[in-house]
């Protein structure tokens, strides 16, 4: 297996470079935005495939009529992307924009085309836990969205990276809200501070000054309840911190978008999606990000703290939306041909982020 990185201004340019250099069998293993601008895509390819691709580039042999007969029928990328978006309940206007963006790309890989289309329309901005580089993160959202679990997952990730960590909870309202987090922080040997009001939160920020990763768990808020939101607004004014919306996947598209808009009004710019392992329709997430102009950061695909979080990038999101290729049973004959439509009609997307 050979790994190679490509740097380009946009995701679609980088994908084109990957295909040209490594061929269609290259697997995208990571994408990230570069600090100075542009994106870096790391792709892996088997040595044999790489040799084949190099031979293809150098020979560029003229095509014979006999070769054409053995070729797989051309994949209609737009059709496969359109099918996937339809299956995920992506609202028509947004789906149309994504199909247009995917169609303009020179690739016959629908996942890469959808990835590039997502990249052109959405912002992906994963959470960093660099030493001393981040503001405290305040996890906000509707009740039961996963805020407390995410606080534990982020704390665990930072501890594993040997960062200093401070966890603060403001959830003194719900019975058991504090105990749930205390159980996690005890295991991780991380200090947990409980605060009751914005002044106390200011004080807790002061106490944690210089700590690499500071996380604040909050009580669930009803986005349509003025008192709830005023309360949260006062909390967010306690100090310089970034609110992160913790939103479960699988909600009704318009409902999720309205919720996100209510939190956006309090200054939220990034959303962390949870329960991706429990959702089969991701259209609501896309509409939410578009309407509230919110960036995707990380994603949760498990209820277990140990299974952590995954940075959500365009290709990972596209893979979640694409149908999984069925594996032929051992010894079964390979089908003579497979059309894009057949591929799209197979099983639902995998619930793991590759
Ligand atoms: N399967 C799965 N379960 C999740 C995920 N994220 C959260 N959960 C579960 O969702 C439930 C609620 O999670 P919490 O972390 O308590 O949610 P919360 O937002 O803190 O809830 P409140 O404090 O009541 O507002 C728990 O049972 C979690 O284990 C996820 O990504 N996958
Ligand atoms: Mg909670």
């Amino acid at each position: 297996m050979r790994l190679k990185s490509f740097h380009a201004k946009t995701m679609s340019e980088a994908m084109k470079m990957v295909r040209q250099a490594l061929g269609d069998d290259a697997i995208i293993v990571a994408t990230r935005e570069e600090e100075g601008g542009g994106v870096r895509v790391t792709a892996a390819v088997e040595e044999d495939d790489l040799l084949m691709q190099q031979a293809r580039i150098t020979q560029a042999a003229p095509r014979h009529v006999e070769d054409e007969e053995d070729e797989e029928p051309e994949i209609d990328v737009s059709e496969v992307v359109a099918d996937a978006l339809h299956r995920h309940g992506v609202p028509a206007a947004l789906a149309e924009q994504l199909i247009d963006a995917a169609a303009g790309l020179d690739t016959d890989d629908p996942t890469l085309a959808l990835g590039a289309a997502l990249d052109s329309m959405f912002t992906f901005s994963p959470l960093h836990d660099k030493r001393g580089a981040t503001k405290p993160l305040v996890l906000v959202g509707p009740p039961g969205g996963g805020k407390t679990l995410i606080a534990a997952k982020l704390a665990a990730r930072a501890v594993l990276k040997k960062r200093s960590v401070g966890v603060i909870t403001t959830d003194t309202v719900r019975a058991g809200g504090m105990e749930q987090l205390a159980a996690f922080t005890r295991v991780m040997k991380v200090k947990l501070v409980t605060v009751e009001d914005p002044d106390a939160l200011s004080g807790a920020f002061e106490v944690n000054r210089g700590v690499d990763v500071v996380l604040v768990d909050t009580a669930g808020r009803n986005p349509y309840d003025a008192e709830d939101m005023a309360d949260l607004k006062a909390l967010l004014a306690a100090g310089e911190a970034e609110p992160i919306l913790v939103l479960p996947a699988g909600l009704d598209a318009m409902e999720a978008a309205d919720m996100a808009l209510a939190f956006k009004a309090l200054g939220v710019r990034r959303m962390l999606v949870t329960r991706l392992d429990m959702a089969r329709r991701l259209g609501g997430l896309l509409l939410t990000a578009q309407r509230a102009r919110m960036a995707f950061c990380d994603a949760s695909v498990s209820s277990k703290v140990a299974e952590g979080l995954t940075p959500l990038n365009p290709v990972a999101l596209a893979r979640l939306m694409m149908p999984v290729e069925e594996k032929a049973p051992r010894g079964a004959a390979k089908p003579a041909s497979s059309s894009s439509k057949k591929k799209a009609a197979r099983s639902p997307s995998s619930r793991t982020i590759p």
Side-chain angles (χ1 to χ4, degrees):
M1 170 95 29
R2 175 91 61 93
L3 278 174
K4 214 165 162 8
S5 285
F6 299 83
H7 178 260
K9 266 200 214 124
T10 65
M11 182 62 75
S12 37
E13 277 175 32
M15 294 303 179
K16 217 184 233 176
M17 288 163 74
V18 171
R19 276 193 61 239
Q20 276 167 359
L22 303 182
D24 293 338
D25 293 326
I27 301 158
I28 307 299
V29 290
T31 66
R32 71 178 157 86
E33 282 175 28
E34 296 278 69
E35 273 179 14
V39 291
R40 180 166 294 278
V41 173
T42 305
V45 71
E46 293 295 344
E47 297 283 348
D48 288 353
D49 293 341
L50 186 59
L51 290 175
M52 294 268 289
Q53 174 65 5
Q54 281 163 352
R56 248 179 250 136
I57 293 168
T58 46
Q59 287 167 14
R63 279 148 48 108
H64 296 292
V65 180
E66 305 93 80
D67 295 341
E68 306 257 334
E69 281 171 11
D70 287 342
E71 275 179 10
E72 289 256 318
E74 273 206 358
I75 289 176
D76 184 338
V77 170
S78 302
E79 200 184 329
V80 180
V81 169
D83 274 354
L85 297 174
H86 175 70
R87 236 187 3 267
H88 280 274
V90 177
L94 174 55
E96 210 171 293
Q97 285 173 280
L98 284 165
I99 294 162
D100 281 353
L105 206 80
D106 180 23
T107 176
D108 57 6
D109 181 335
T111 307
L112 288 191
L114 178 57
L118 291 169
D119 188 46
S120 69
M121 291 191 59
F122 298 98
T123 307
F124 294 82
S125 171
L127 298 175
H128 291 297
D129 35 24
K130 290 182 198 146
R131 246 177 250 285
T134 52
K135 292 180 193 169
L137 298 178
V138 185
L139 304 169
V140 303
K147 300 173 293 300
T148 303
L149 180 74
I150 299 309
K153 285 189 176 198
L154 288 170
R157 183 164 83 180
V159 166
L160 281 176
K161 288 188 179 173
K162 304 212 179 319
R163 304 287 185 257
S164 54
V165 186
V167 180
I168 303 166
T169 179
T170 64
D171 188 4
T172 52
V173 184
R174 193 171 60 82
M178 213 267 286
E179 285 75 8
Q180 191 188 357
L181 194 54
F184 293 131
T185 50
R186 213 175 299 127
V187 174
M188 290 184 276
K189 296 191 170 51
V190 166
K191 209 166 118 196
L192 174 67
V193 176
T194 306
V195 301
E196 300 234 345
D197 55 54
D199 285 342
L201 183 58
S202 282
F205 285 156
E206 275 306 315
V207 169
N208 279 290
R209 194 169 285 278
V211 172
D212 295 325
V213 177
V214 180
L215 304 162
V216 184
D217 184 23
T218 65
R221 313 282 166 156
N222 176 351
Y224 310 125
D225 182 308
E227 208 176 305
D228 252 19
M229 295 310 266
D231 203 40
L232 183 58
K233 190 175 177 186
L235 205 60
L236 293 175
E240 214 190 317
E242 182 186 352
I244 301 285
L245 175 60
V246 177
L247 198 69
L251 298 178
D252 169 80
M254 297 302 281
E255 200 66 69
D258 281 356
M259 273 190 196
L261 281 167
F263 286 101
K264 167 108 179 181
L266 303 185
V268 181
R269 296 285 175 272
R270 293 197 274 181
M271 64 179 185
L272 192 154
V273 182
T274 60
R275 299 204 207 152
L276 274 173
D277 54 321
M278 290 173 60
R280 289 193 157 180
R281 284 163 200 84
L282 306 187
L285 284 184
L286 299 190
L287 186 78
T288 303
Q290 189 197 38
R291 284 198 58 203
R293 289 175 187 274
M294 252 186 220
F296 290 107
C297 52
D298 296 32
S300 170
V301 288
S302 147
S303 59
K304 297 188 179 72
V305 176
E307 283 171 13
L309 292 167
T310 312
L312 205 52
N313 63 47
V315 177
L317 185 53
R319 284 202 179 122
L320 282 170
M321 299 186 73
M322 278 296 164
V324 182
E325 283 266 8
E326 268 171 17
K327 286 204 178 103
R330 267 171 200 274
K334 208 180 158 204
S337 69
S338 55
S339 79
S340 58
K341 218 166 183 169
K342 276 186 217 152
K343 279 182 186 170
R346 285 174 190 156
S347 55
S349 310
S350 154
R351 292 297 97 197
T352 53
I353 293 185

